[in-house]
Amino acid sequence: MQALTSLTFGQRFLQLPSVFHRAVQPQPLSQPHLVAANTPLCLQFGIQAETLTAPAAMALLSGNRLADGMQPLAAVYAGHQFGVFVPQLGDGRALLLGDTTDIHGQRWEWQLKGAGLTPFSRMGDGRAVLRSTIREYLCSEAMHGLGIPTTRALAMVGSPDPVYREQVETAAVLTRLAESFIRFGSFEVFYHRGQHDEIRILADFLIHHHFPDCAEQAQPYAALFSEIVGRTARLIAQWQAVGFCHGVMNTDNMSVLGLTLDYGPFGFMDGFNAAHVCNHSDHSGRYAYNQQPQVGLWNLHCLASAFLPLVDEEALLAALSAYREQYAQCWMSLMRSKLGLATLQEEDEELVEALLLAMHAHRTDYTVFFRRLADFVPGEDNAQLRDLFLDRSLFDAWAARYAARLQLESRPAAERRPAMLAVNPKYILRNYLAEQAIQAAQQDDFSLIARLHDCLQRPFDEQAHYQDLAAEPPAWAQEISVSCSS
Ligand code: AMP
Ligand code: MG
């Protein structure tokens, strides 16, 4: 075991020319205190989470000191925000501290989010509020627990420093980790400026560090683009299957590694609503749940434009045209598993669509339904499931189809049930749970954050002591409003 401050860092991002980044020192928070520490992720770096409260570790996590080799910088990028191109964005409040290797030999980039002004802060203050930091911390780790690619959260510190949003709130800093934070917009910025050499340099950097297999291909840049298309398709299929809405799928929030990135007004669905919009500022519903797959493709088209100097148009279009099929295949395979189907039948897609239509009509709780479906018995009335639908006949009609479909499976129910429980989570980060954790934290009680984090690491396990965290939302949860303000 070692101390956080004795880790040694490099900064491979500095291999990129100076147009890619600006050196920025973090602006310390005053009187920092630890809000949460991610024990398993700390252990992955040989650190005991308990040692993060040591003054030197706290200083590092709050931007007051650096570890050996850290060279903080803000990266430049652009992006299509709600369909409109914004030529320059960049890390406005996140600083890339450097990169280091975990005990498995994997290299991770470390960022401080909310560490103060950068040259890209525009109208912002470079800060993050405790509320949104808790949401990002918990959701990154919930996604990880669900097996969905995501940036990670190592630790979170709070401070009494005021931050001005709709109301005065307090500041926090999140230490977040990823193999890379490079976004679609990291390419777009240079395409817009006509700096085609930089596009090539960035693609080479990505291939070298993250997609070494592409280097072996006849057309490495085309292979890189195809790989990003595939990862994006699979990521969004996973979001859909678990009922997750990202909320702000601007191209600057799209990871080229296919990670869930930049948690803002995200939401896991409670009652199923195909057109659910989790971001109250998204008036047109551009990023509604049922739009996400299509938005993924739209965003990939933006990225394809930026790849034009590297790859001929035909190859880009061919890669883009594979998206729908890759998405549909991945999504159907996930939905089949959720239904406990081990074989493949043509009618499966209709069976899933019919179910989603019925769930949409009744706003059936998405997570509860699929969890209970593991106990479905063909020919019985399945009251536990049936009661989730106001119009019981709608469920009965679907249940009859499902029962008939199960007849085509040779897998015995005793095998199907555990297989379904292993893919249909019992615990998700419902909005009301995040809200309760935030309200307690604002009164200096961080215990619910720790409980949620612990529970959400194993979302498929029963975990008797966390039954309360599987409860459907209380009535007041309807009133929770999540905006871009963070
Ligand atoms: P988002 O869509 O929330 O990921 O943010 C879009 C852009 O705004 C990014 O370039 C952020 O770095 C920047 N940004 C968001 N909030 C702030 C803030 N409080 N201070 C400075 N920049 C910010
Ligand atoms: Mg962003």
Side-chain angles (χ1 to χ4, degrees):
M1 286 296 153
Q2 57 184 331
L4 173 67
T5 42
S6 58
L7 291 180
T8 311
F9 286 78
Q11 184 57 291
R12 62 186 173 191
F13 210 82
L14 289 174
Q15 294 162 6
L16 294 166
S18 59
V19 284
F20 282 86
H21 42 72
R22 304 280 182 82
V24 185
Q25 292 302 309
Q27 280 169 358
L29 289 178
S30 67
Q31 298 167 255
H33 57 268
L34 192 68
V35 175
N38 186 338
T39 302
L41 192 55
C42 282
L43 286 175
Q44 214 172 310
F45 291 90
I47 303 163
Q48 258 168 334
E50 296 73 26
T51 63
L52 294 191
T53 49
M58 284 302 298
L60 196 151
L61 298 173
S62 59
N64 278 286
R65 69 172 275 179
L66 299 172
D68 186 33
M70 283 179 173
Q71 288 177 276
L73 59 84
V76 67
Y77 51 84
H80 280 83
Q81 298 193 315
F82 290 90
V84 179
F85 185 67
V86 182
Q88 191 177 303
L89 294 162
D91 292 326
R93 55 172 168 173
L95 292 182
L96 184 62
L97 297 174
D99 43 81
T100 193
T101 307
D102 69 15
I103 54 173
H104 310 300
Q106 195 196 327
R107 200 89 189 150
W108 291 86
E109 296 184 354
W110 288 41
Q111 280 197 345
L112 288 185
K113 183 168 177 179
L117 291 171
T118 82
F120 311 117
S121 297
R122 300 185 297 158
M123 312 298 283
D125 54 8
R127 291 300 184 195
V129 296
L130 179 63
R131 165 178 55 84
S132 67
T133 305
I134 292 170
R135 284 173 52 85
E136 172 152 1
Y137 179 95
L138 288 176
C139 199
S140 329
E141 296 312 302
M143 291 300 247
H144 176 68
L146 290 163
I148 302 179
T150 177
T151 59
R152 302 291 305 277
L154 184 87
M156 170 165 53
V157 299
S159 154
D161 290 351
V163 177
Y164 301 91
R165 298 291 181 260
E166 282 89 351
Q167 299 163 358
V168 185
E169 300 186 46
T170 57
V173 170
L174 178 73
T175 305
R176 68 173 181 178
L177 275 53
E179 270 184 77
S180 170
F181 293 93
I182 296 175
R183 302 135 194 275
F184 289 13
S186 312
F187 282 92
E188 289 178 275
V189 66
F190 296 112
Y191 181 68
H192 177 79
R193 295 183 191 168
Q195 293 177 316
H196 295 176
D197 287 348
E198 278 69 18
I199 297 176
R200 185 177 303 274
I201 291 168
L202 186 58
D204 287 338
F205 180 86
L206 258 186
I207 291 172
H208 180 72
H209 291 292
H210 306 288
F211 297 89
D213 292 350
C214 293
E216 314 294 321
Q217 305 291 315
Q219 296 187 42
Y221 302 129
L224 172 64
F225 185 73
S226 288
E227 184 63 29
I228 298 173
V229 171
R231 288 194 190 199
T232 305
R234 290 193 292 277
L235 174 69
I236 297 176
Q238 285 183 278
W239 288 355
Q240 300 304 107
V242 80
F244 175 79
C245 299
H246 181 283
V248 196
M249 288 178 69
N250 295 334
T251 57
D252 51 303
N253 293 335
M254 296 291 293
S255 151
V256 293
L257 264 50
L259 308 174
T260 313
L261 170 66
D262 281 7
Y263 292 90
F266 67 82
F268 283 91
M269 263 194 285
D270 295 314
F272 183 71
N273 170 7
H276 179 63
V277 180
C278 61
N279 176 0
H280 276 245
S281 321
D282 180 6
H283 304 295
S284 69
R286 181 181 174 88
Y287 298 137
Y289 169 78
N290 58 8
Q291 297 302 306
Q292 295 188 129
Q294 177 58 30
V295 170
L297 182 58
W298 194 92
N299 289 344
L300 284 163
H301 272 90
C302 296
L303 182 65
S305 297
F307 266 67
L308 277 170
L310 305 182
V311 181
D312 66 69
E313 196 176 337
E314 245 170 278
L316 289 170
L317 289 172
L320 286 170
S321 71
Y323 175 87
R324 278 182 212 283
E325 188 54 33
Q326 287 170 335
Y327 169 78
Q329 268 200 11
C330 186
W331 181 75
M332 261 320 290
S333 133
L334 292 168
M335 295 311 287
R336 268 199 192 90
S337 310
K338 287 177 81 68
L339 292 179
L341 305 176
T343 63
L344 205 143
Q345 299 289 333
E346 267 204 29
E347 74 212 50
D348 293 349
E349 195 165 342
E350 275 179 42
L351 185 70
V352 173
E353 295 295 350
L355 172 61
L356 294 181
L357 269 177
M359 290 176 77
H360 176 82
H362 292 265
R363 298 295 191 268
T364 309
D365 190 278
Y366 190 78
T367 306
V368 169
F369 176 84
F370 280 105
R371 188 74 184 176
R372 287 191 191 166
L373 192 62
D375 293 320
F376 180 88
V377 182
E380 295 196 0
D381 86 336
N382 294 291
Q384 291 273 7
L385 284 164
R386 207 166 177 257
D387 291 348
L388 296 172
F389 295 80
L390 230 66
D391 175 357
R392 308 292 203 262
S393 64
L394 206 63
F395 170 75
D396 291 340
W398 184 81
R401 282 174 77 170
Y402 181 52
R405 174 62 183 83
L406 288 178
Q407 297 293 307
L408 305 177
E409 297 278 311
S410 54
R411 177 157 76 169
E415 257 177 50
R416 185 173 72 241
R417 187 174 181 275
M420 289 174 77
L421 294 177
V423 295
N424 290 310
K426 174 159 179 146
Y427 301 98
I428 54 161
L429 182 64
R430 293 181 188 269
N431 249 339
Y432 86 89
L433 294 170
E435 190 60 31
Q436 286 176 335
I438 290 164
Q439 283 177 14
Q442 285 167 341
Q443 310 297 319
D444 297 322
D445 173 3
F446 308 133
S447 58
L448 186 50
I449 296 174
R451 273 191 94 216
L452 276 168
H453 178 205
D454 187 51
C455 170
L456 293 168
Q457 285 173 54
R458 291 170 300 278
F460 305 106
D461 294 357
E462 276 300 319
Q463 306 190 74
H465 50 302
Y466 288 136
Q467 291 299 316
D468 56 316
L469 302 179
E472 286 182 58
W476 62 263
Q478 302 275 348
E479 311 299 321
I480 301 171
S481 154
V482 187
S483 73
C484 271
S485 153
S486 60

